[in-house]
Every structure is written in structure tokens, then in C-alpha cells.
């Protein structure tokens, strides 16, 4: 069967890498893709929001399955847009993707169904929000309701910071409509963890747990990014806590979505905080694979990813076996200097051919007129090391990352360090 994957980052490269291993997959197409993805898939320069062009392409290419990577098109209803084509699409419909697209929807859902999450209030009026905020203890968390490219959340450690965050969302409207509503939330202390799960309706099949590193600098300093590195599994977190999170958070949420008439189909990704006494609470839900979580989770998948996608879109997820390897994976992201602020594109990348002992997923690369690899984004590459444990995988990822050079290259040097203490 031929497949169309929508997206063009490291996550989509990892999905395509895994799909390409399936004997049932013939040709893979990607829109828009990137230069690394082009090694495995035929890329078409169509943006992820060009629904008419994407549906026409899928029909013209006669693909048997479409897979959606990023959050924005899901929130905008890309899955519904494929209805007329009758081609199965892996990913949630617009009304189910709202679990990521609207934090107020997500919080109200969890509240209604008694699913553990931080205490909160929502506001669409600045004065009322400010009065409530003044009465909260510090630290406190302020969140814009809608999608804000990962920048809509402020964990405020002072009153000034909290007031400033609220003002910039509600008065200065820095996130536009995404900030029309705001959530003021209790601060949760503890360890973060992500669990991704394949979901079709009420069936939940958790994947290997993973941990992201969002701030740009070591020791979690500096502004948040899309993710500077990940690792899986999480040896420092007891498996009973992971099971508890699946039983008390992910399964009840999938069930709640069915009860609300919004059955979820695709990947449900829970961002969780484990309190010091070992209780998981929900921080956020995403309606898709994580980036760069996918880059460490899929290399550990022993089963055929195509079979899982196919079963999910046909409501048969409960019927298949899904096996994970015991190997550990660590992904180190190589980013452009300056990211997540302004950065230069078109810088030559050297050493990609030398880094053969790692899996290198491309996030933002292109080829110049001479065919050389050049940078084309903030996050450029995800270098994934595998090993018997996190320590081995980490050593391999860093050793291989050393072989790849470009001017301004930035990486964190402490990916997975928390798993080793
Ligand atoms: P989000 O975009 O919702 O994933 O939030 C970004 C980051 O803010 C999370 O990864 C957490 O580190 C932090 N965060 C969000 N909500 C809370 C909370 N209630 N308590 C503590 N930290 C939080
Ligand atoms: N790595 C975080 C995300 O994909 O949302």
C-alpha cells in the first residue's frame, strides 16, 4: 500500500523511517517533508494547511492511508477534510483534537470526569483574571487557551512575572485569538513524564514512556523550545506509576471523549507531573505524536507501525500485539545558534555521512544547488543513540553528534542526565 504522511519535521522522519520497514508499505509520500525525509519518501511541496491540495494529492496518488503529524492542521479539522475522499486518515477529528487545541476544553473535561489535574480557573475577562491571580500563591501557572507554538505557558515565580504574563496574553494579545481565554492554574512540583498512547475510541495501547527537555540550555535554563532532546525508557520512574497514569488518566480520558461524542482516534500524548509522593497528574494533552518524543519511542517499537495505524483507523486496535524492545534510546537535538529566537538558515552541514552509528532524523535540513546539506530551521537534526541502557545510548548519541558540524550548532549536554543519578 502507498501512504501519504503530512508534516515535515523530525517526528515525521521518524514515522516514515518506521513505516518504511513494513513489508506491507510500498511507496511513501510526504507533504511537505524535508531533505532528510526525501531519502525515504517522495516529497510534495504542499503546506500542512492546504487541505484542498492535500486531499487532491492523496486521491491522485491513490494512497490507501494518510497519516497526520502536526497539531495545527488537526485542530483545524484536516481529518474531517478527507471525509469525501473515503481514504482512512490516522489522527483525531477536529472535535477530538480540541483536547490539545483548547486548554479550557481539556481542563473542563478532566474536571467533569474527575481525572487528576492541577486546580484551575478560566477567564475571558482581564480584570476578573487579575483579581483571582492576586489571591493565588506563587509560583502560579498562566496559560493561553489556544495553540501558541509551545509558548503560551508561563510558570511564574514572582507576582511581577505572573502579572506580566497575564497582561501580555489578555491585554497585549501577543497570541491573538489563542489568548482570548486564559487559565490560571495551581503549580505542580515534581518530575515530568510523557506517555504517548495509540487510541481508538475506548481502546488505549500505551507506548514506551519518554521524557523531553524543553528549555534551550543545560539545567533547564533559558526559553522553552519545541524540545532539545528526549530519552526512553525512564529507569528512574517506577513502572507502577506509569501504570497508574495509564489507568487513572489516559484510559478515563479516552472514555470521557467517547461519552462526550468526540471519540479520539490517533495518538493521545499525556504530559504528566509526578508529585513527590508518586501521584501522576495531568499537565496537558496533545492529539498527536510528540516531537522529539517520537524519535526515541519508534526506534524501540518491535511491531510493524503500519499494522498499528491500520488497526487504529479501522477500530481494531484491541486485536493486535504491540511489542517494545528493552533497548534504551536517547535523542540529542542539534539546533541553529539563536534558536528559539532568530537564527540563520542555509548554513552548510558536514559529517552526516560519518554519523553512521546513530539514527539521524532530519528536522530542518535542505540541499543547496550543489546538493550539499544545509540548515533550514531552528531544530536541524535529532541524533538518536541506542544501547542496552540509557548510559550506553547517551554515550552513543553524543559521540555521533560530535561528528556532525555546522556553524552555530547548539545542543544541550545534559540530555537524559536525570535518568542517570
Ligand atoms: P505545556 O505547554 O502545557 O506543556 O506547558 C509547558 C511546561 O510548563 C510543561 O512542560 C511544564 O514544565 C510547565 N507546566 C505547565 N503546567 C504546569 C503546572 N501546573 N505546574 C508546574 N509546571 C507546569
Ligand atoms: N515535545 C513536545 C511536543 O511535541 O509537544
Amino acid at each position: 500500500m502507498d501512504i501519504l504522511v503530512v508534516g515535515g519535521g523530525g517526528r515525521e522522519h521518524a514515522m516514515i523511517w518506521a513505516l518504511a520497514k513494513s513489508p506491507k508499505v510500498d511507496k511513501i509520500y510526504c507533504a511537505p517533508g524535508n531533505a532528510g525525509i526525501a531519502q525515504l519518501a517522495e516529497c510534495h511541496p504542499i503546506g500542512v494547511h492546504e487541505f484542498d491540495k492535500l486531499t487532491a494529492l492523496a486521491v491522485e496518488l491513490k494512497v490507501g492511508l494518510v497519516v497526520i503529524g502536526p497539531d495545527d492542521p488537526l485542530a483545524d479539522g484536516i481529518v474531517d477534510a478527507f471525509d469525501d475522499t473515503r481514504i482512512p486518515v490516522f489522527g483525531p477529528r477536529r472535535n477530538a483534537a480540541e483536547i490539545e487545541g483548547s486548554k479550557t476544553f481539556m481542563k473542563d473535561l478532566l474536571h467533569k470526569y474527575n481525572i487528576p489535574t492541577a486546580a484551575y480557573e478560566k477567564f475571558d475577562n482581564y480584570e476578573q483574571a487579575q483579581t483571582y491571580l492576586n489571591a493565588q500563591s506563587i509560583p502560579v501557572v498562566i496559560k493561553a487557551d489556544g495553540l501558541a507554538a509551545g509558548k503560551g505557558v508561563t510558570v511564574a515565580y514572582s507576582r511581577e512575572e505572573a502579572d506580566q504574563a497575564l497582561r501580555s496574553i489578555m491585554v497585549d494579545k501577543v497570541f491573538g485569538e489563542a489568548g482570548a481565554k486564559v487559565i490560571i492554574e495551581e503549580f505542580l512540583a515534581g518530575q515530568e513524564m510523557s506517555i504517548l498512547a495509540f487510541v481508538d475510541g475506548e481502546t488505549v495501547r500505551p507506548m514506551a514512556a519518554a521524557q523531553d527537555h524543553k528549555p534551550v540550555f543545560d539545567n533547564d535554563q533559558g526559553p522553552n523550545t519545541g524540545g532539545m532532546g528526549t530519552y526512553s525508557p525512564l529507569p528512574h520512574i517506577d513502572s507502577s506509576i506509569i501504570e497508574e497514569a495509564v489507568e487513572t488518566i489516559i484510559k478515563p480520558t479516552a472514555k470521557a471523549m467517547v461519552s462526550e461524542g468526540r471519540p479520539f482516534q490517533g495518538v493521545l500524548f499525556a504530559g504528566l507531573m509526578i508529585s513527590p509522593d508518586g501521584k501522576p497528574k495531568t499537565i496537558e494533552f496533545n492529539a498527536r505524536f510528540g516531537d522529539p518524543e517520537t524519535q526515541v519511542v519508534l526506534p524501540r517499537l518491535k511491531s510493524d507501525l503500519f499494522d498499528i495505524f491500520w488497526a487504529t483507523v479501522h477500530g481494531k486496535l484491541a486485536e493486535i500485539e504491540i511489542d517494545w524492545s528493552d533497548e534504551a534510546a536517547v535523542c540529542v537535538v542539534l539546533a541553529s545558534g539563536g534558536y528559539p529566537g532568530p537564527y540563520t538558515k542555509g548554513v552548510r552541514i558536514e559529517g552526516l555521512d560519518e554519523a553512521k552509528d546513530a539514527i539521524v532524523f532530519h528536522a530542518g535540513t535542505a540541499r543547496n544547488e550543489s546538493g550539499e546539506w544545509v540548515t533550514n530551521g531552528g531544530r536541524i537534526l535529532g541524533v538518536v543513540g541506542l544501547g542496552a541502557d540509557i548510559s550506553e545510548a547517551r554515550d552513543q548519541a553524543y559521540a555521533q553528534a560530535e561528528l556532525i558540524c555546522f556553524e552555530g550548532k547548539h545542543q544541550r549536554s545534559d540530555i537524559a542526565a536525570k535518568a542517570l543519578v
Side-chain angles (χ1 to χ4, degrees):
M1 178 180 296
D2 295 349
I3 300 182
L4 171 65
V5 175
V6 175
R11 160 184 51 211
E12 288 76 20
H13 193 182
M15 290 197 282
I16 289 169
W17 171 87
L19 286 170
K21 293 195 288 189
S22 169
K24 294 170 192 143
V25 173
D26 297 315
K27 188 152 183 172
I28 306 177
Y29 301 94
C30 187
N34 65 41
I37 290 174
Q39 296 171 296
L40 296 172
E42 183 180 299
C43 294
H44 290 257
I46 300 177
V48 299
H49 288 287
E50 297 183 275
F51 294 176
D52 290 346
K53 288 188 185 168
L54 290 169
T55 50
L57 180 74
V59 170
E60 183 195 323
L61 298 172
K62 297 192 171 61
V63 300
L65 176 70
V66 178
V67 179
I68 313 297
D71 48 349
D72 289 14
L74 288 168
D76 289 345
I78 191 171
V79 175
D80 311 69
F82 274 91
D83 276 351
D84 288 343
T85 68
R86 295 174 179 270
I87 302 171
V89 184
F90 181 84
R93 288 180 175 278
R94 185 211 291 260
N95 68 359
E98 209 173 337
I99 198 161
E100 172 168 11
S102 166
K103 290 192 196 295
T104 53
F105 169 77
M106 184 275 275
K107 295 292 290 191
D108 290 349
L109 180 86
L110 268 53
H111 182 69
K112 179 172 172 187
Y113 290 87
N114 231 337
I115 298 166
T117 189
Y120 72 105
E121 280 297 332
K122 59 180 174 178
F123 299 93
D124 57 12
N125 173 288
Y126 173 66
E127 281 72 31
Q128 285 169 4
Q130 184 64 55
T131 305
Y132 177 83
L133 184 58
N134 288 343
Q136 303 310 303
S137 55
I138 298 292
V140 64
V141 184
I142 324 275
K143 301 185 170 184
D145 176 53
L147 294 177
K151 300 191 181 104
V153 174
T154 300
V155 180
Y157 290 92
S158 69
R159 293 234 162 259
E160 295 68 40
E161 214 186 330
D163 292 347
Q164 169 59 35
L166 188 66
R167 211 175 317 117
S168 70
I169 297 172
M170 298 196 89
V171 180
D172 305 337
K173 300 192 169 27
V174 294
F175 304 118
E177 264 306 292
K181 284 188 250 172
V182 80
I183 301 249
I184 300 177
E185 191 173 283
E186 165 201 17
F187 171 80
L188 300 175
Q191 287 250 34
E192 284 192 65
M193 150 173 106
S194 299
I195 299 180
L196 285 73
F198 297 106
V199 174
D200 95 43
E202 287 195 18
T203 304
V204 170
R205 307 293 300 272
M207 301 184 216
Q211 182 55 54
D212 189 9
H213 301 62
K214 282 184 181 157
V216 69
F217 299 124
D218 283 6
N219 300 314
D220 291 336
Q221 301 296 305
N224 271 346
T225 67
M228 292 300 296
T230 36
Y231 59 97
S232 174
L234 312 181
H236 56 302
I237 294 183
D238 204 90
S239 61
S240 66
I241 296 179
I242 297 176
E243 272 160 38
E244 182 174 341
V246 171
E247 294 303 322
T248 63
I249 294 175
I250 304 185
K251 287 187 179 171
T253 299
K255 202 165 173 198
M257 292 296 277
V258 173
S259 305
E260 293 292 307
R262 301 171 185 247
F264 191 97
Q265 180 267 102
V267 172
L268 192 55
F269 162 168
L272 306 164
M273 188 70 85
I274 319 288
S275 66
D277 63 355
K279 291 278 164 218
K281 280 192 181 175
T282 317
I283 293 182
E284 62 163 350
F285 270 110
N286 296 318
R288 50 168 175 89
F289 274 107
D291 188 342
E293 284 83 352
T294 312
Q295 289 88 315
V296 287
V297 168
L298 290 186
R300 300 189 57 219
L301 175 67
K302 290 206 282 191
S303 307
D304 185 323
L305 183 63
F306 171 79
D307 285 342
I308 301 174
F309 284 172
W310 196 245
T312 305
V313 298
H314 289 101
K316 297 197 156 112
L317 188 53
E319 295 171 21
I320 57 167
E321 279 284 312
I322 303 180
D323 293 322
W324 300 94
S325 103
D326 292 332
E327 259 189 332
V330 172
C331 173
V332 176
V333 169
L334 310 185
S336 295
Y339 171 77
Y343 50 81
T344 321
K345 287 186 184 176
V347 178
R348 237 175 79 198
I349 307 169
E350 288 178 272
L352 271 174
D353 290 339
E354 271 107 88
K356 287 197 187 320
D357 291 331
I359 313 170
V360 180
F361 292 124
H362 291 231
T365 63
R367 302 243 199 199
N368 64 16
E369 283 141 24
S370 327
E372 295 160 332
W373 295 103
V374 293
T375 64
N376 191 34
R379 290 187 292 178
I380 308 301
L381 299 158
V383 181
V384 180
L386 297 172
D389 55 23
I390 291 285
S391 167
E392 247 186 66
R394 183 173 190 261
D395 288 349
Q396 194 194 37
Y398 275 111
Q400 297 290 302
E402 271 309 295
L403 303 173
I404 301 172
C405 307
F406 53 89
E407 207 183 310
K409 173 177 122 176
H410 168 68
Q411 68 192 44
R412 276 183 60 159
S413 68
D414 62 348
I415 302 301
K418 276 191 200 140
L420 299 176
V421 289

